[in-house]
Amino acid sequence: MKTITTIAALRTELAQGPRPIGLVPTMGALHTGHLSLVARAASKCPQVVVSVFVNPTQFDDPADLRAYQRDLDSDAALAEDAGATILFAPDAGEMYPEGFATSVTVTGPLTETLEGAQRGAQHFHGVTTVVTKLLNIVAPDVAYFGQKDAQQALVIRRLVTDLNLDVKIEVLPTVRDEDGLALSSRNARLSAADRDKAIMLHAALQAARQAARSSDDPMQLRTAALDTLARAEVEPEYVAIVDPQNLSPVSHVNGAGALVAIAARIGGVRLIDNLVIEPSKET
Ligand code: AMP
């Protein structure tokens, strides 16, 4: 595996290798969740680019950006083990040289609700701009994303459709620790006590799933999730039961199914998680 830091060198390297090319965009601090995407890409593509770029424009909280874990040597070893052929690790000057003045924005509820409402739509504008740049730089056949960031995956699908980008988007399931906690680079910042609280996000999602077995009413699902969080003294930023395709509120779970999405700040660490409830087969 090669580590490459400039766009020109990356393009030269990719042009010499075979297709298909797979791209796994990340912000580094790689864990088994990221590596599941890399392994999937490697099973399909002879060239697999893992990008590691802590994109400053998508952080709404400067403290979160400062605290974001960076360890390129460890990332390189893990990415290589999982089957990456190139680690692309540009610095901010390479991605946003002086005079940079363009933004790619997906507008409307997809970027303005949930994470967009909490962090500001600017967060997703940062994501869509950097992902567009990465897609143009790498020109992958397939780009891999995690369901852990369900809203982000929808926003990127919208972006790719609307701008006719010639890439297939594959979204892979959330990888969890044994206790259910969704793997996240931010988990390393949780104290032991906070980690115990953090696993309640998953418990709340399970409570919503359980409620969906006996009720089609999204309010019942939301109440079940909120009660679980309240018992653990976790105050969520939001618990939303929405349409898994467009994030609009749902009146029945059994129509299009439902995405249950949760965000909470625990011990100063902001965590998100979600699950999709499929519509019941009987209806
Ligand atoms: P990040 O480095 O947090 O920007 O994440 C890079 C990619 O890895 C995104 O597509 C995430 O959705 C995905 N990802 C992060 N955590 C997980 C996880 N626990 N399971 C699966 N994919 C994940």
Side-chain angles (χ1 to χ4, degrees):
M1 191 194 71
K2 287 191 176 164
T3 296
I4 295 178
T5 57
T6 68
I7 294 163
L10 178 64
R11 285 190 159 142
T12 304
E13 180 69 24
L14 286 170
Q16 289 163 1
R19 284 196 172 263
I21 295 171
L23 170 66
V24 182
T26 81
M27 297 201 300
L30 299 184
H31 52 63
T32 313
H34 298 117
L35 299 176
S36 72
L37 308 184
V38 181
R40 169 73 179 170
S43 75
K44 299 284 174 190
C45 306
Q47 293 201 88
V48 175
V49 180
V50 175
S51 62
V52 171
F53 180 58
V54 184
N55 178 31
T57 66
Q58 72 188 67
F59 281 80
D60 49 304
D61 175 1
D64 190 29
L65 175 59
R66 272 195 306 277
Y68 211 88
Q69 212 183 307
R70 292 162 174 88
D71 187 347
L72 202 58
D73 289 343
S74 152
D75 286 346
L78 291 167
E80 181 168 23
D81 268 4
T85 58
I86 296 174
L87 188 84
F88 177 51
D91 65 16
E94 182 73 3
M95 292 299 275
Y96 304 115
E98 211 176 309
F100 186 90
T102 301
S103 177
V104 181
T105 60
V106 172
T107 57
L110 271 190
T111 54
E112 288 163 8
T113 57
L114 308 181
E115 290 299 283
Q118 288 298 322
R119 305 181 68 173
Q122 205 54 40
H123 162 67
F124 283 118
H125 301 162
V127 170
T128 44
T129 301
V130 80
V131 169
T132 303
K133 281 176 69 72
L134 289 168
L135 293 174
N136 282 331
I137 291 164
V138 176
D141 298 278
V142 193
Y144 297 85
F145 294 88
Q147 175 66 19
K148 158 87 173 14
D149 297 274
Q151 185 174 9
Q152 172 176 279
L154 289 173
V155 169
I156 285 163
R157 283 194 191 282
R158 187 78 259 160
L159 164 81
V160 164
T161 301
D162 290 356
L163 296 186
N164 308 99
L165 302 181
D166 192 11
V167 60
K168 180 171 175 265
I169 301 299
E170 205 173 305
V171 178
L172 298 180
T174 302
V175 177
R176 300 176 179 282
D177 264 336
E178 273 170 23
D179 57 13
L181 180 64
L183 296 187
S184 162
S185 307
R186 293 184 175 88
N187 291 353
R189 278 147 56 192
L190 292 168
S191 69
D194 288 337
R195 200 179 183 293
D196 287 344
K197 281 190 163 192
I199 61 176
M200 298 315 286
L201 266 60
H202 179 244
L205 293 172
Q206 293 303 324
R209 189 195 287 289
Q210 185 61 35
R213 297 207 168 101
S214 54
S215 172
D216 184 35
D217 176 2
M219 288 308 289
Q220 299 281 339
L221 276 61
R222 187 161 185 274
T223 302
L226 285 171
D227 285 352
T228 303
L229 294 174
R231 279 197 297 278
E233 293 177 0
V234 174
E235 217 174 285
E237 286 187 356
Y238 61 78
V239 173
I241 319 287
V242 291
D243 184 300
Q245 300 306 322
N246 59 25
L247 305 182
S248 63
V250 288
S251 48
H252 304 284
V253 177
N254 272 330
L259 173 75
V260 186
I262 297 184
R265 198 173 277 280
I266 295 175
V269 182
R270 192 167 182 282
L271 300 174
I272 59 173
D273 201 351
N274 70 84
L275 67 75
V276 174
I277 294 174
E278 302 294 338
S280 150
K281 301 229 169 21
E282 291 94 67
T283 55

